[in-house]
């Protein structure tokens, strides 16, 4: 009797990345965007001076204020977050004034460079990357300063600096101080209570917490700081936000804004405002804690001690580099990021900001397992997913 050959017992293998996989943005900006938000961009060209365009500007500004939770007035700039920050600085801080720049990472360093280039009397209060800023040290430097620039969520290190304690200490030392906070990855992401904490100006950008395509910056001014804003600043024309704020309050932008993006922004804000701010913040915290737990289970713990809910900045185990991990993820179609120079190899960065939920965090934990396995890291299958799940529970 002839024997039939047994059927193969293994299924054909699926290579690491094929058209069957779904590419994901798991970097801390730009982030995934809700298809309903993208559809807002697929309309006949709108006009910013038409009644509908004016109403869309006012609607988006009102929602930006709602996302802050305090009665600050929003200016939307057609720029990235850096342009918005520059506008905030030149529109509140007179030529030659003393600016204290608190820095402990890439983005906070940028604001020091900016202030120095703009000719301000710039005093840097620096801590090493990954470390936390010190409230007393900053307060001491602010005694005779005009403005403090500070970054709340330092996306390069994953640290969430204690903006409340620092602002309270700095304002106690100098009640006239203007505090400009880079909240580019904390606005809509982390607990932020600027009125109670004394933060005068909040800066952000569209491609981070608000899950909108890149191209818009946001500056939210407290009622008190508006009376102190500079008219006709000699340090900016396009970025004269005193003029821009007056215009936008009346439904009018002095220049042509990225009106299409404002439609997208307004739709994206509906999703975030669909739950109370406390719920939004807590869920984002849990998602990032899940990524940190997953990384820790794989031997890649968080770099910072007080971690930002915007991004997991993880230190790879010995023998692996941040670029190797980010490269393995990129090979799987998953866009994470290594560290920022000079720390490209010290860390890799993964984020669930944007159009992403807790099940994406679980999926990313599984993706990290596959990436680490491909890099030859020994671990027990399932540990990262289990750790992520525990953090979400
Ligand atoms: C992304 C980012 C910036 C820079 O924003 P752009 O929109 O790229 O100009 C500044 N600060 C922080 C904390 C960021 O995450």
């Amino acid at each position: 009797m002839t024997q039939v050959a047994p059927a193969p017992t293994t299924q054909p293998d699926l290579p690491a990345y094929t058209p069957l996989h779904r590419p994901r943005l798991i970097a801390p900006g730009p982030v995934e965007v809700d298809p309903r938000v993208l559809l807002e961009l697929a309309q006949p060209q709108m006009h910013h001076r038409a009644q509908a365009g004016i109403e869309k500007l006012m609607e988006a500004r009102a929602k930006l204020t709602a996302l802050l939770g305090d009665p600050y007035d929003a200016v939307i700039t057609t720029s990235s977050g850096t342009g918005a920050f520059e506008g905030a600085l030149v529109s509140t801080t007179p030529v030659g004034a003393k600016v204290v720049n608190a820095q402990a990472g890439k983005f906070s360093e940028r604001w020091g460079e900016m202030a120095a280039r703009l000719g301000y009397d710039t005093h840097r209060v620096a801590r090493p990357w990954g470390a936390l800023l010190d409230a007393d040290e900053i307060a001491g430097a602010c005694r005779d300063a005009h403005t403090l620039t500070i970054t709340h969520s330092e996306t390069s290190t994953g640290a969430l600096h204690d903006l409340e304690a620092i602002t309270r200490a700095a304002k106690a030392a100098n009640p006239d101080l203007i505090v400009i906070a880079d909240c580019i990855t904390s606005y809509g992401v982390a607990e932020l209570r600027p009125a109670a904490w004394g933060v005068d100006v909040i800066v952000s950008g569209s491609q981070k917490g608000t899950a909108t395509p890149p191209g818009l910056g946001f500056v939210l001014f407290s009622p008190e700081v508006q009376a102190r804003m500079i008219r006709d600043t000699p340090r900016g024309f396009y970025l004269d936000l005193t003029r821009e704020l007056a215009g936008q309050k009346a439904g009018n932008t002095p220049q042509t804004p990225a009106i299409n993006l404002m439609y997208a922004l307004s739709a994206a804000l509906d999703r975030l405002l669909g739950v109370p701010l406390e719920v939004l913040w807590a869920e984002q915290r849990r998602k990032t804690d899940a990524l940190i737990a997953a990384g820790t289970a794989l031997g890649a713990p968080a770099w910072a001690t007080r971690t930002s809910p915007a991004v997991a900045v993880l230190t790879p185990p010995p023998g692996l580099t941040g670029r190797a991990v980010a490269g393995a993820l990129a090979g799987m179609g998953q866009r994470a990021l290594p560290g920022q120079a000079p720390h490209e190899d010290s860390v890799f960065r993964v984020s669930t900001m944007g159009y992403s939920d807790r099940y994406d965090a679980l999926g990313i934990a599984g993706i990290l397992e596959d990436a680490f396995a491909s890099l030859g890291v020994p671990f027990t299958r399932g540990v990262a997913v289990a750790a992520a799940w525990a953090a979400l529970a």
Side-chain angles (χ1 to χ4, degrees):
M1 214 194 253
T2 53
Q3 290 246 313
V4 178
T9 53
T10 53
Q11 301 290 328
D13 211 9
L14 188 65
Y17 186 56
T18 71
L20 294 185
H21 289 89
R22 183 176 132 218
R24 288 176 185 78
L25 296 177
I26 54 171
V31 299
E32 289 285 337
V33 178
D34 186 336
R36 288 166 293 190
V37 171
L38 293 173
L39 272 177
E40 290 290 320
L41 299 171
Q43 302 185 58
Q45 181 58 48
M46 50 291 271
H47 200 287
H48 60 289
R49 306 279 183 228
Q51 192 54 36
I54 294 168
E55 282 166 12
K56 192 56 70 171
L57 167 70
M58 299 310 267
E59 181 186 295
R61 291 182 59 249
K63 289 177 189 175
L64 287 172
T65 296
L67 186 66
L68 192 65
D70 283 326
Y72 286 33
D73 283 295
V75 166
I76 303 174
T77 60
T78 295
S79 72
S80 80
T82 303
F85 199 96
E86 189 163 332
L89 188 57
V90 300
S91 305
T92 57
T93 308
V95 173
K98 176 176 173 181
V99 172
V100 172
N101 165 238
Q103 55 168 253
K106 188 61 144 197
F107 291 110
S108 43
E109 284 179 1
R110 178 179 291 180
W111 313 133
E113 261 175 65
M114 179 186 279
R117 277 235 221 150
L118 289 167
Y120 292 114
D121 174 20
T122 308
H123 289 247
R124 295 175 172 84
V125 180
R127 301 279 294 140
W129 285 41
L132 285 177
L133 294 168
D134 183 79
D136 291 336
E137 192 184 357
I138 294 169
C142 286
R143 240 174 274 284
D144 59 347
H146 186 280
T147 296
L148 166 65
T149 65
I150 181 165
T151 296
H152 187 197
S153 162
E154 179 53 80
T155 319
S156 61
T157 68
L160 183 73
H161 295 290
D162 192 344
L163 183 60
E164 176 179 10
I166 294 165
T167 303
R168 285 190 195 280
K171 286 271 174 109
N174 176 2
D176 292 332
L177 185 73
I178 291 179
V179 178
I180 303 177
D182 163 3
C183 294
I184 293 183
T185 57
S186 64
Y187 173 59
V189 174
E191 181 180 10
L192 182 57
R193 303 191 187 275
W197 299 352
V199 183
D200 302 281
V201 186
I202 300 290
V203 179
S204 194
S206 56
Q207 80 280 19
K208 306 276 175 90
T210 57
T212 301
L216 297 179
F218 315 132
V219 187
L220 293 111
F221 294 99
S222 72
E224 297 76 27
V225 82
Q226 290 178 36
R228 300 177 58 194
M229 287 177 69
I230 296 165
R231 296 182 70 83
D232 304 325
T233 171
R235 286 280 184 275
F237 182 86
Y238 186 67
L239 290 174
D240 176 348
L241 299 190
T242 309
R243 184 175 57 138
E244 196 71 47
L245 177 61
Q248 292 194 12
K249 279 184 174 179
N252 171 21
T253 52
Q255 294 92 18
T256 309
I259 182 70
N260 307 48
L261 285 174
M262 291 191 188
Y263 278 75
L265 171 67
S266 184
L269 291 170
D270 284 340
R271 173 171 164 268
L272 301 175
L273 295 171
V275 293
L277 289 179
E278 287 74 14
V279 174
L280 180 70
W281 297 334
E283 183 63 3
Q284 185 57 44
R285 173 82 263 169
R286 275 189 294 267
K287 286 191 291 173
T288 300
D289 283 347
L291 297 188
I292 292 171
T296 305
L298 296 172
W303 191 10
T305 48
R306 191 177 194 273
T307 55
S308 167
V311 56
V313 179
L314 304 172
T315 53
L320 274 196
T321 63
R323 272 184 288 204
V325 177
L329 290 166
M332 299 163 65
Q334 313 299 314
R335 175 57 56 197
L337 288 173
Q340 280 167 291
H343 291 284
E344 303 93 322
D345 286 332
S346 326
V347 290
F348 64 97
R349 299 180 294 150
V350 230
S351 173
T352 56
M353 268 187 302
Y355 184 57
S356 132
D357 68 11
R358 50 173 54 199
Y359 302 106
D360 291 298
L362 277 181
I364 294 169
I367 290 165
L368 285 178
E369 288 201 12
D370 276 357
F372 273 57
S374 76
L375 291 165
V377 178
F379 62 92
T380 308
R381 272 294 181 174
V383 283
V385 174
W389 212 318
L392 290 168

